[in-house]
Amino acid sequence: MTALKGVALRRGIATLHKGVALLRPYLTLLALAAALALLRVGKAQVPVITPADVSTPTPTPLALPTPTPSEPDLAISQFVARTLHVIGDAPITYTVQPGDTLFSVALEMGLDLEDVPCAVGPTFTVDRPLVIGDVLSAPPANVICHEVQPGETIASIAARYRVNPAQIRSLPWNHLPPEGEARLLPRTHLRVPLNVPLQMPSGQSVTDAELDFLLTMLNMPISTSPFVVFAQKSAARQPATPIGPLPADWPYGSGRFTWPVYGWLSQGYRFDHRAIDIAAPQGTPVTAADRGVVIRAGWNNQGYGRFVVIDHKIDYVTLYAHLDRIFVQEGEIVGQGQVIGTVGSTGNSTGPHLHFEIRDFGRLTNPLELLTAP
């Protein structure tokens, strides 16, 4: 029994020796790979250069110009004179007629409704009637009409519009003493001169809106109508879908205004020209921009020449000036697109064109923001 155990033990040892012999090449390769790995780690840990070997220049602070502190000119950015008359023009005057109201005077003189008191007198308030025969004078183009509020002084009003109090005192129309405080009555009015150029420089740059329009036109195909460009600027300017025939005596407009004449824009909307001029050959038909009632049709002595005014009964009023002929009468209801006259050059006009205004609640607004494609 003991002999058998000895034989088995010798056989096991022999088998073990054979296994180790077979694994010896693999163990040798494994040891060699481990040695190479340690060698790489050792080399990686040895720096090629040290931080002391690197020298960088000390950065020099950039010499930037110090901006000069300045405040925005609020008199121009926030407060804009509301008139149609160019600076330097002769004063526009109007004699009050029987039945006149502040609104009718605003239409005749080309003023915003809220500026009419500054054509009447400094002590005039809106609750007082106009005096027949009084001669009114429109404020210049660089003047805004201010209604005095309780507690206001000349200094506080000047600070609001960012002008010098002496500028307000210097206007004879205001009837103010040259120095010292004057007692201002609430709801009366003062003319306030704004800090705007006394004349447009000959080489002035175009406005952002005009530049945008010009760039759009340059990118359009040749012979593209400018009306197409205006129509594409806003989806809200698309013409309304007809809802059916309207009664002949229906006086209300839609609020969507079509171009009153085919032509080209010769003058845009700005602080001293709160309207647009559309040049066209004399005799070109002029149409109503929207449905409404003709409230004025005839001659205007304040520069419009022959003109037509339409009340659309939805707080909008349109005005068409310098007409050659007029085909409608006051009190007549006209439809959108109906011919109301022809292009002319009557009144203060330098050539055949249509002077076109849109008023919203009596305030002159930019027609280009409301017109649709024809």
Side-chain angles (χ1 to χ4, degrees), residues 215-236:
L215 291 176
T216 305
M217 279 295 296
L218 289 174
N219 291 324
M220 297 294 286
I222 296 175
S223 300
T224 299
S225 168
F227 300 121
V228 174
V229 179
F230 285 124
Q232 290 183 356
K233 298 305 289 182
S234 172

Side-chain angles (χ1 to χ4, degrees), residues 25-358:
Y26 299 101
L27 295 175
T28 302
L29 291 175
L30 182 62
L32 180 61
L36 290 174
L38 291 174
L39 181 61
R40 291 193 188 98
V41 172
K43 287 184 177 180
Q45 291 177 347
V46 178
V48 178
I49 57 175
T50 64
D53 298 327
V54 180
S55 175
T56 58
T58 303
T60 304
L62 295 176
L64 299 176
T66 303
T68 302
S70 61
E71 297 181 356
D73 193 344
L74 298 181
I76 295 180
S77 62
Q78 292 186 2
F79 309 107
V80 179
R82 301 176 294 266
T83 177
L84 289 165
H85 312 300
V86 179
I87 298 173
D89 281 354
I92 301 296
T93 60
Y94 176 74
T95 303
V96 178
Q97 306 295 319
D100 267 338
T101 64
L102 292 179
F103 184 63
S104 66
V105 170
L107 290 174
E108 295 288 339
M109 302 188 70
L111 298 175
D112 269 356
L113 181 60
E114 58 191 287
D115 289 338
V116 176
C118 278
V120 183
T123 60
F124 177 81
T125 56
V126 294
D127 56 342
R128 294 173 55 183
L130 295 170
V131 178
I132 298 174
D134 275 1
V135 178
L136 312 184
S137 178
N142 63 327
V143 167
I144 195 169
C145 186
H146 176 78
E147 182 177 359
V148 177
Q149 303 300 314
E152 283 189 324
T153 63
I154 298 175
S156 67
I157 295 172
R160 176 184 177 184
Y161 295 100
R162 303 189 64 80
V163 299
N164 193 306
Q167 294 176 262
I168 301 178
R169 298 176 185 276
S170 65
L171 296 182
W173 188 91
N174 288 329
H175 295 162
L176 295 173
E179 295 180 356
E181 276 297 337
R183 183 171 176 266
L184 303 179
L185 299 177
R187 303 182 64 191
T188 58
H189 294 78
L190 288 176
R191 290 183 177 183
V192 179
L194 299 181
N195 294 323
V196 297
L198 293 181
Q199 60 182 2
M200 293 295 180
S202 57
Q204 70 171 7
S205 59
V206 296
T207 64
D208 291 341
E210 292 170 333
L211 181 60
D212 180 55
F213 172 76
L214 292 174
L215 291 176
T216 305
M217 279 295 296
L218 289 174
N219 291 324
M220 297 294 286
I222 296 175
S223 300
T224 299
S225 168
F227 300 121
V228 174
V229 179
F230 285 124
Q232 290 183 356
K233 298 305 289 182
S234 172
R237 296 192 195 141
Q238 296 302 318
T241 302
I243 59 176
L246 295 174
D249 59 349
W250 184 260
Y252 304 101
S254 65
R256 294 176 179 269
F257 300 94
T258 57
W259 285 78
V261 67
Y262 284 94
W264 56 96
L265 196 67
S266 59
Q267 191 164 192
Y269 180 92
R270 59 177 188 268
F271 83 95
D272 60 348
H273 185 261
R274 296 170 64 81
I276 61 172
D277 288 347
I278 307 170
Q282 185 159 338
T284 302
V286 175
T287 61
D290 198 3
R291 191 174 186 84
V293 181
V294 178
I295 60 174
R296 187 76 168 85
W299 182 265
N300 172 272
N301 287 319
Q302 284 67 48
Y304 288 130
R306 291 191 182 93
F307 77 144
V308 170
V309 181
I310 300 176
D311 184 357
H312 303 284
K313 298 296 183 180
I314 51 171
D315 304 320
Y316 283 115
V317 172
T318 52
L319 183 147
Y320 315 75
H322 306 315
L323 300 176
D324 181 40
R325 291 186 292 171
I326 295 175
F327 298 143
V328 292
Q329 298 178 350
E330 294 178 8
E332 181 179 347
I333 296 176
V334 295
Q336 187 177 55
Q338 178 178 336
V339 177
I340 60 175
T342 59
V343 171
S345 187
T346 57
N348 293 342
S349 172
T350 56
H353 72 278
L354 175 71
H355 174 97
F356 179 65
E357 303 173 14
I358 298 182

